[in-house]
Amino acid sequence: MAKFSDLERLAMRRALLLAEKGLYTTGENPRVGACLVKDGNLIAQGFHRAPGRPHAEIEVIKQTDAGLVRESTCVVTLEPCSHVGKTGPCAEALIDAGIARVVIAMEDPNPLVAGRGLARLRDANIDVAVGLYSEEARSLNRGFIKRMMCGRPYVWLKSAASLDGKVAMPDGESKWITGSDARRDVQRIRARCQAIVTGINTVLADDPQLTVRHNESGLLIPKGVSAEQPLRVILDTQGRLPTSNRLLDAEGPILWVTGSHYQHSMCANGRIEQWVAPLCDGRIDLKALLLELGRRQINEVLFEAGATLLGSLIEGRLVDQGVLYYAPKLLGQTARSLYDIAPTQLADAPEISIQRIYEVGGDFRLDWTLGTRA
């Protein structure tokens, strides 16, 4: 079992905090932080900021004098890459810099790396230790891990309801069930996801933009990096998307998912992309959709939609992380319900595991996951 010094433990905690600075900007890449330590001191620190920008290991090497880097220890939250992507392999950079020891939180699940970086370092006679705060590193990159292991993104499901589990009045009125603090909190979830999915009924009823409002939400973006809007995905089996709405007016890419080929002026001018998805029982096949998003290098996806689509995700056990905002309101028995699911008996009712409940302004946020079936 690998042994780690107190300084290496402190440096890894720092590296994890640094990695979190890339939470909203690393896109398809993992969130990675790194520190260099030598002679009892932390001599450099850095993190990966965005695709195409230097990886964390390169950041710390470049900011430090070459003589000081030699014989130092690199503490990094993810196995250094060993292949050439948009940047050069970090394992080779560490070898060339004369690093003596590398402490790594977790092995890279990317099949292009997956232990090869560790082997390359060891072949160069560098001392390598793996497993320091691995669970924290995995939590930071759950979307990247999900895509590498399963070929699909990590699925967030967000919903908001009154205390009696209702999402809208009988006529569909639902705007501002929750308060401004909860809405800002949703912006943070949107910002960490590379795609947001909704259904055509939500588009027609609510006319949402589904964008991330970085500035007004107080989201911290690394210096020198431009925050990008997530891919907005509209599920529209019968091709009912109107030619004018707030979603089309807002900046950012749009994927129009249909059940057959349909004509749309915004496809002709390149504003939106149409993808014809396979159907399952007359509806978009959600498993096929997730695999397509994985193919498009989406690590985390947020579903903000109506009761039918969210219910289908739950019944298909496709939810990785649920977030439910409860507002201190009672809408009554004629109001619309939260999820469209219909178990025939109590034993078939989906069970959830509650992770935590806490206040967000005047509302409550409940984080949940689907329970394991016996």
Side-chain angles (χ1 to χ4, degrees):
M1 185 175 179
K3 293 184 178 181
F4 307 101
S5 70
D6 289 343
L7 180 58
E8 288 170 347
R9 292 179 183 277
L10 287 171
M12 185 63 81
R13 298 296 298 183
R14 180 58 183 161
L16 287 164
L17 289 173
L18 290 165
E20 196 168 357
K21 290 187 174 185
L23 187 66
Y24 307 129
T25 57
T26 54
E28 71 271 17
N29 290 350
R31 297 144 184 158
V32 183
C35 294
L36 290 181
V37 296
K38 186 177 183 180
D39 299 330
N41 297 305
L42 190 153
I43 60 174
Q45 57 184 6
F47 65 99
H48 179 52
R49 297 169 185 267
R53 302 291 289 269
H55 289 185
E57 301 94 322
I58 308 301
E59 283 263 319
V60 295
I61 290 173
K62 285 187 174 181
Q63 66 181 255
T64 314
D65 179 81
L68 194 58
V69 172
R70 190 165 296 279
E71 296 300 316
S72 67
T73 295
C74 180
V75 178
V76 62
T77 59
L78 185 69
E79 175 185 357
C81 61
S82 56
H83 68 290
V84 177
K86 292 181 180 179
T87 60
C90 293
E92 294 300 329
L94 293 172
I95 293 168
D96 293 342
I99 298 291
R101 174 172 162 88
V102 181
V103 176
I104 300 162
M106 61 170 287
E107 186 175 307
D108 194 332
N110 186 343
L112 295 174
V113 184
R116 293 181 177 87
L118 304 180
R120 182 68 189 95
L121 293 171
R122 288 172 173 142
D123 287 345
N125 296 317
I126 292 176
D127 184 24
V128 177
V130 185
L132 180 59
Y133 296 122
S134 60
E135 287 305 310
E136 289 84 348
R138 292 181 67 86
S139 178
L140 193 60
N141 282 306
R142 49 189 137 179
F144 180 74
I145 294 169
K146 189 80 176 188
R147 180 166 66 87
M148 290 298 144
M149 301 296 290
C150 303
R152 71 165 180 86
Y154 186 92
V155 174
W156 290 78
L157 186 154
K158 170 262 172 183
S159 47
S162 61
L163 284 180
D164 52 350
K166 305 296 183 177
V167 298
M169 299 303 292
D171 62 358
E173 180 189 359
S174 63
K175 196 171 185 179
W176 310 148
I177 282 183
T178 56
S180 58
D181 289 323
R183 295 195 295 274
R184 278 193 294 271
D185 196 57
V186 171
Q187 290 293 312
R188 287 189 280 272
I189 302 175
R190 285 184 182 181
R192 68 175 293 155
C193 295
Q194 296 77 54
I196 301 173
V197 181
T198 195
I200 187 61
N201 288 335
T202 297
V203 173
L204 296 175
D206 298 340
D207 195 19
Q209 284 188 316
L210 295 180
T211 54
V212 178
R213 294 177 282 280
H214 297 89
N215 293 333
E216 62 187 79
S217 301
L219 300 175
L220 298 178
I221 304 301
K223 186 177 179 180
V225 176
S226 298
E228 297 184 358
Q229 290 294 338
L231 174 69
R232 288 166 297 160
V233 183
I234 307 113
L235 306 190
D236 183 13
T237 307
Q238 298 176 343
R240 294 184 290 153
L241 181 66
T243 57
S244 177
N245 55 50
R246 295 177 69 242
L247 190 140
L248 295 174
D249 292 339
E251 66 177 47
I254 297 173
L255 181 64
W256 184 36
V257 181
T258 61
S260 184
H261 284 283
Y262 293 98
Q263 298 297 318
H264 197 287
S265 60
M266 292 297 181
C267 287
N269 65 20
R271 175 66 185 92
I272 65 176
E273 177 189 355
Q274 182 179 186
W275 180 63
V276 179
L279 300 180
C280 181
D281 296 327
R283 296 177 178 173
I284 302 297
D285 186 326
L286 295 178
K287 291 181 180 179
L289 170 68
L290 292 175
L291 289 174
E292 173 63 17
L293 293 179
R295 188 186 68 79
R296 292 169 180 260
Q297 298 186 303
I298 301 296
N299 287 339
E300 298 184 47
V301 57
L302 171 63
F303 280 79
E304 289 193 63
T308 300
L309 178 52
L310 298 187
S312 295
L313 287 166
I314 292 171
E315 289 187 325
R317 303 192 65 78
L318 298 174
V319 180
D320 294 301
Q321 179 66 63
V323 176
L324 172 57
Y325 296 93
Y326 270 124
K329 296 180 176 72
L330 299 172
L331 301 190
Q333 64 180 4
T334 60
R336 300 185 182 183
S337 297
L338 187 56
Y339 305 126
D340 186 2
I341 56 177
T344 56
Q345 53 186 358
L346 186 59
D348 296 328
E351 292 187 3
I352 66 167
S353 297
I354 298 176
Q355 298 165 306
R356 60 175 182 162
I357 304 174
Y358 58 99
E359 290 183 77
V360 180
D363 305 307
F364 289 97
R365 171 172 163 168
L366 187 153
D367 291 359
W368 60 272
T369 58
L370 284 172
T372 303
R373 286 178 172 169

